[in-house]
Structure formats: C-alpha cells, structure tokens
Amino acid sequence: MRILVLGGSWFLGRAVAQAAIDRGWEATVFNRGRSGVAPAEAQTVRGDRTVGADLARLAGEGPWDGVVDTSASELAPRDVLAGSRALEPVAGRYVYVSTVNAYRGWPSEALTEDSELLDGPPDADAEYGRLPEGWDGPDWYYGRQKAGAERAARAAFGEDRTAILRPGVILGPGEYVGRLPWWLRRSTRGGQMLAPGAPDKSIQPVDVRDVATFALDRAVAGHGGAYNCVAPIGRETMSGFLTACVLATGGGAQLVWAPDRILLDHGVQQWTELPLWRTHPGVWNIESTRAQEAGLVCRPLSETVNDTWTWLREGGVPVEHPRWAKHGITPEKESQILAELSRA
C-alpha cells in the first residue's frame, strides 16, 4: 500500500505516517518543513498546500492508494478543495480529519454521526463565518470552516471515496495543545490539586495512535462515510483521568473536587484553565457507534496517560504552538479556590 499523509511531521500526522510504516506500507508526507520531523522511513515532499505549482509537483509523485489529510486545520475550505482536486486523479481514497466542532449542536447538544452540520460552502475563503465585532452568541467560525472543508473533500472525491473523521479531544505522546501535559505536570507538584466538576463526569478523549490506526483503515476501506472518533460514552470519567495522572507521576497529589458553580463563580475559564472541564451538556455526549462498528478501538485512557508521561520523562518535546500557553490555572488562583472549599 502507498499512503500520502498531508502533514506527517507532528502529532496526528506523524502518528499516521509511523503507523503506515509499521504496517510495511510506503508513506509519503507533504508539508512545508517548518515544524516537527517526519519518520525517517517516510518519503518527504516539501511544499505549500496553497500553492498550485506545489500541488501539481506533489501529484507527480503519485499514485497512492489513499490520502490522509491531517494538516488542514488552518486552511480555508477552498484550499482543501484545490488540493483534493489536484490529488483526486492519483489517489484512491481521501480521509479528511475534521472535528466535532463542525456540528451545529456542539457543545450544547448530544450528537450522533448524523447530526446537522454547520453551514460552510466548499469554496469558502478564510473570512467565511468570522464573527462581527460585539457578537455574544456561539463562536461557530472554526466549525463552519471545517464543515466547509468536509464538503470540499467530498466534492473532489465523491461520497464513496471520502471518509470524514470527527474527533473531539485527541491526547497522547506528542501532544502540542498542552491539556494532558499540564495535568501531568500539575500532578508532580503534589499537595491538594483542584479537580473540576463531578468525579463521575463522563469524558471522551481519544488516543492519537487510535485515530491514526482508524484513519489508515478508512484510507483503504471499500466505502466512505463520517465517523465520530471519540471514546464510548460513559467508559471514562474525570475522576479516572485525574487519578491516572496522579498515579503515573507518583507526586502524591490529593484531589479536591470543586462543583461547577464554585469554579464559575471564580471565573475559571472553561476548557483551558482546568483542561477538559466544560459545563455544556453536549461536550462529552457524542455517540460513536458507527465508528466503533467500522473498527475504531479506543485504548483505556489510563494507558494514554501513562504513555504520555513516559514520553515527557524521556525528553519528549512537543512542537511549539500558541495553544500550549493557554492551558492551566495559576497556582495563586488554584490556592484561592482550594481555601474557599476548605472553609465550606
């Protein structure tokens, strides 16, 4: 099998390329070479996805059995459309990694793989969906862009040759966002550690390696479709996740649970200051039956935690990304909330 990975040098893209190589497949990666390092065994083609000449040169390196697109998070739908059209004559199938943000109901409603998508035409530019100044409603810009990009991939390859993967939160070795690494490093400090919300709250992160495996399977499957790449509802909990962080690091941190209302009263920023905590009812209520029936297997979250801690301890360094700095509550703010909880 010959696989083309758009990206291929960090986190999910690199995991896809490495998983293909581990299967004995030929892997080509296409990126600008500005961050990360692709697996040594992969063929690397340098270029910019927004440059037509670069896309034409890439197409000349084909054919491939499948394309896995992991690098379109900051591309406008029209750029995805141009790229997929350039590759369609030389590739059998196209796997586009989207996001649950593409659903109109996320994070407020429970979702299935048939839930309504946001608007977003396949030829939209980067300005489509931007919010007007003073807007106080839902921030659908990113979701509209991703929904448009999904339509772009399908417009080029057709429904049967296009697989859409919609993960929520992806964790694991190589993570650049900083969610799991922050919790691990906080756990090493020990002492009382602020734990958000309800201990039995269901959460649905997925391991990067499991998404990579599923993406390759869909790249050579006999049909297309859309798949929510999340862990099964109810299998993992916030308590299990944080306990795994404490046990992995051996820091002896003691979990102190803070109800949502306390955190909201203190202005704790959801999703970032205490990563993975969010009060919206649909954020961790995403059905993934179709993906599981198609072969998605999600390893236990504790395994992801342990492997990520091993990666960090062995000198793993994520690709620099501005989202990293947004995660984590300050020790001072955490102490204030812990003090209030102790007086309650």
Side-chain angles (χ1 to χ4, degrees), residues 49-50 69 71-83 96 121-128 130 141 144-146 148-150 152:
R49 293 183 59 177
T50 65
D69 186 351
S71 67
S73 61
E74 298 179 1
L75 287 181
R78 69 178 182 185
D79 295 321
V80 176
L81 181 63
Y96 178 71
D123 58 351
D125 62 18
E127 295 304 308
Y128 184 87
R130 286 202 186 277
Y141 169 71
R144 282 171 164 167
Q145 288 280 308
K146 297 296 279 188
E150 290 186 17

Side-chain angles (χ1 to χ4, degrees), residues 68-137:
V68 180
D69 186 351
T70 68
S71 67
S73 61
E74 298 179 1
L75 287 181
R78 69 178 182 185
D79 295 321
V80 176
L81 181 63
S84 54
R85 281 176 172 169
L87 294 172
E88 187 276 329
V90 293
R93 312 191 64 76
Y94 197 95
V95 178
Y96 178 71
V97 181
S98 184
T99 169
V100 295
N101 292 67
Y103 289 116
R104 181 174 295 278
W106 192 87
S108 300
E109 303 171 6
L111 299 172
T112 73
E113 284 147 327
D114 294 316
S115 294
E116 181 186 3
L117 295 178
L118 288 164
D119 60 309
D123 58 351
D125 62 18
E127 295 304 308
Y128 184 87
R130 286 202 186 277
L131 303 174
E133 187 174 352
W135 173 262
D136 60 357

Side-chain angles (χ1 to χ4, degrees), residues 14 46 84 97 170 175 189 202 208 229 265 271 297 304 331 339:
R14 194 181 198 286
R46 297 285 186 228
S84 54
V97 181
I170 303 177
E175 185 199 334
R189 300 207 314 264
S202 173
V208 62
C229 293
D265 287 347
W271 212 231
V297 177
T304 302

